[in-house]
């Protein structure tokens, strides 16, 4: 591997909330330690569809996941598999959909909630949660502090070349409270505060770090369509690569080939979007 990289996906945060409420991330933009671009999701801007596109680099119409109800093992090249082909070690701390897409389906909690499989062709070290019982009143989301600590543990214990973390807290909060409210302001503040010490820790350990969302949410807590609030999020990059101008919008399909390029892993022909970090 040419380098090490962590992708942090904070589910369901619109562009305006990133730029308004994440003071630590924005402070690093001001100091020059991070760069930020607008990031536009695929359509539909639905969670599972975006998860699949982020790691395959193709649109939902191609990979076949067109809603949260069409989750299955994907049969396209993906970021985890390409890194494994290059000899890298991969890890994921995420919702169980990620395990079903890129490891095996259906998800068996006893077998799949935690595994270390050195011979896996995709995710070598997985720590997953199901959010079983999720609803409007019961969010059933793990603490983000615990998720960040778990990814850091995997990095330290297994020397990951690539690690991915996915948190549903803010997406769930947005569906419950919508976005123009004290509860959402505080939730974003709390997540930014929990994340900040780990950004420093990961950078010290030699990782490039990308922090973004799979999609946004509109004023009524909805996503899935073309509304800019539903599709547009921020993408923060911590690292040494050169990127595009600050006004350029990053297409979600650019993430997969860019990650592979940064790590020196082969980019498959199915990933046609241009690399945005060099």
């Amino acid at each position: 591997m040419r380098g090490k990289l962590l992708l942090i996906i904070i589910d369901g945060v619109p562009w305006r909330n990133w730029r308004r409420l994440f003071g630590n991330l924005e402070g690093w933009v001001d100091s020059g330690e991070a760069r930020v671009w607008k990031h536009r999701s695929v359509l539909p801007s639905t969670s599972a569809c975006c998860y699949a596109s982020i790691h395959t680099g193709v649109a939902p119409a191609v990979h076949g996941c067109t809603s949260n109800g069409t989750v299955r093992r994907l049969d396209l090249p993906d970021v985890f598999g390409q890194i494994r082909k290059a000899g890298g070690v991969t890890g994921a701390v995420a919702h169980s959909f990620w395990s079903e897409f890129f490891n095996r389906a259906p998800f068996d909690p006893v077998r799949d909630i935690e595994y270390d499989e050195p011979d896996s062709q995709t995710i070598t070290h997985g720590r997953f949660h199901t959010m079983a019982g999720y609803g409007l009143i019961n969010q059933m989301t793990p603490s983000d502090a615990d998720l960040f600590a778990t990814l850091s543990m995997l990095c330290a214990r297994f020397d990951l070349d690539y690690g991915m973390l996915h948190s549903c807290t803010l997406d769930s909060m947005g569906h419950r409270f919508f976005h123009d409210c004290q509860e959402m302001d505080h939730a974003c503040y709390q997540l930014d505060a929990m994340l900040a010490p780990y950004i420093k820790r990961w950078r010290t350990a030699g990782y490039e770090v990308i922090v973004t969302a799979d999609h946004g949410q509109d004023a009524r807590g909805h996503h899935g369509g073309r509304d800019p609030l539903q599709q547009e999020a921020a993408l923060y990059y911590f690292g040494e690569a050169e990127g595009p101008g600050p006004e350029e919008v990053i297409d979600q399909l650019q993430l997969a080939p860019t990650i592979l390029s940064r790590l020196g892993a082969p980019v498959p022909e199915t990933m046609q979007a241009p690399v945005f970090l060099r």
Side-chain angles (χ1 to χ4, degrees), residues 191-206:
L191 195 144
D192 178 69
M194 290 178 180
L195 175 61
Y198 287 99
I199 294 285
K200 299 296 287 185
R201 184 185 190 118
W202 297 330
R203 292 292 291 142
T204 300

Side-chain angles (χ1 to χ4, degrees), residues 159-215:
D159 193 22
L160 301 183
D161 297 294
Y162 173 67
M164 187 279 297
L165 181 145
H166 163 249
S167 159
C168 279
T169 301
L170 296 185
D171 179 79
S172 298
M173 290 285 291
H175 290 313
R176 183 177 182 183
F177 294 105
F178 305 158
H179 281 273
D180 188 15
C181 63
Q182 182 181 9
E183 291 87 352
M184 204 68 217
D185 290 353
H186 183 67
C188 290
Y189 164 80
Q190 285 279 59
L191 195 144
D192 178 69
M194 290 178 180
L195 175 61
Y198 287 99
I199 294 285
K200 299 296 287 185
R201 184 185 190 118
W202 297 330
R203 292 292 291 142
T204 300
Y207 287 93
E208 295 180 39
V209 179
I210 294 173
V211 180
T212 189
D214 52 341
H215 53 72

Side-chain angles (χ1 to χ4, degrees), residues 97-112:
F97 281 2
W98 294 87
S99 182
E100 292 188 276
F101 280 138
F102 303 112
N103 190 42
R104 52 187 166 240
F107 186 81
D108 180 334
V110 175
R111 178 191 64 187
D112 297 326

Side-chain angles (χ1 to χ4, degrees), residues 6-232:
L6 300 178
L7 174 64
I8 311 301
I9 298 172
I10 308 302
D11 205 301
V13 183
W15 166 260
R16 67 181 183 184
N17 275 16
W18 286 110
R19 303 308 311 271
R20 184 171 64 96
L21 297 170
F22 285 73
N24 282 295
L25 292 177
E26 287 293 308
W28 279 315
V29 171
D30 286 352
S31 71
E33 294 181 67
R35 279 162 283 178
V36 63
W37 296 276
K38 187 172 286 185
H39 168 207
R40 182 174 294 130
S41 80
V42 295
L43 288 170
S45 53
T46 303
S47 293
C49 310
C50 294
Y51 306 163
S53 290
I54 287 168
H55 273 68
T56 62
V58 302
V62 178
H63 59 60
C65 175
T66 53
S67 74
N68 287 344
T70 55
V71 177
R72 57 179 172 78
R73 180 66 170 88
L74 299 177
D75 56 5
L76 288 160
D78 65 80
V79 169
F80 296 110
Q82 294 301 115
I83 292 170
R84 292 294 293 135
K85 285 181 179 179
V89 179
T90 62
V93 177
H95 188 278
S96 57
F97 281 2
W98 294 87
S99 182
E100 292 188 276
F101 280 138
F102 303 112
N103 190 42
R104 52 187 166 240
F107 186 81
D108 180 334
V110 175
R111 178 191 64 187
D112 297 326
I113 206 161
E114 176 179 325
Y115 59 81
D116 300 300
E117 301 177 352
D119 296 328
S120 170
Q121 296 181 1
T122 54
I123 301 173
T124 323
H125 303 284
R127 303 292 187 270
F128 296 101
H129 53 270
T130 67
M131 289 173 59
Y134 168 76
L136 184 63
I137 302 302
N138 285 331
Q139 288 190 190
M140 309 306 288
T141 50
S143 169
D144 295 291
D146 294 348
L147 298 181
F148 298 142
T150 300
L151 178 63
S152 300
M153 176 273 292
L154 293 180
C155 290
R157 185 178 296 177
F158 301 110
D159 193 22
L160 301 183
D161 297 294
Y162 173 67
M164 187 279 297
L165 181 145
H166 163 249
S167 159
C168 279
T169 301
L170 296 185
D171 179 79
S172 298
M173 290 285 291
H175 290 313
R176 183 177 182 183
F177 294 105
F178 305 158
H179 281 273
D180 188 15
C181 63
Q182 182 181 9
E183 291 87 352
M184 204 68 217
D185 290 353
H186 183 67
C188 290
Y189 164 80
Q190 285 279 59
L191 195 144
D192 178 69
M194 290 178 180
L195 175 61
Y198 287 99
I199 294 285
K200 299 296 287 185
R201 184 185 190 118
W202 297 330
R203 292 292 291 142
T204 300
Y207 287 93
E208 295 180 39
V209 179
I210 294 173
V211 180
T212 189
D214 52 341
H215 53 72
Q217 280 189 349
D218 67 17
R220 293 195 296 233
H222 181 67
H223 57 89
R226 187 183 288 282
D227 187 293
L229 284 172
Q230 298 179 35
Q231 262 194 294
E232 294 176 354

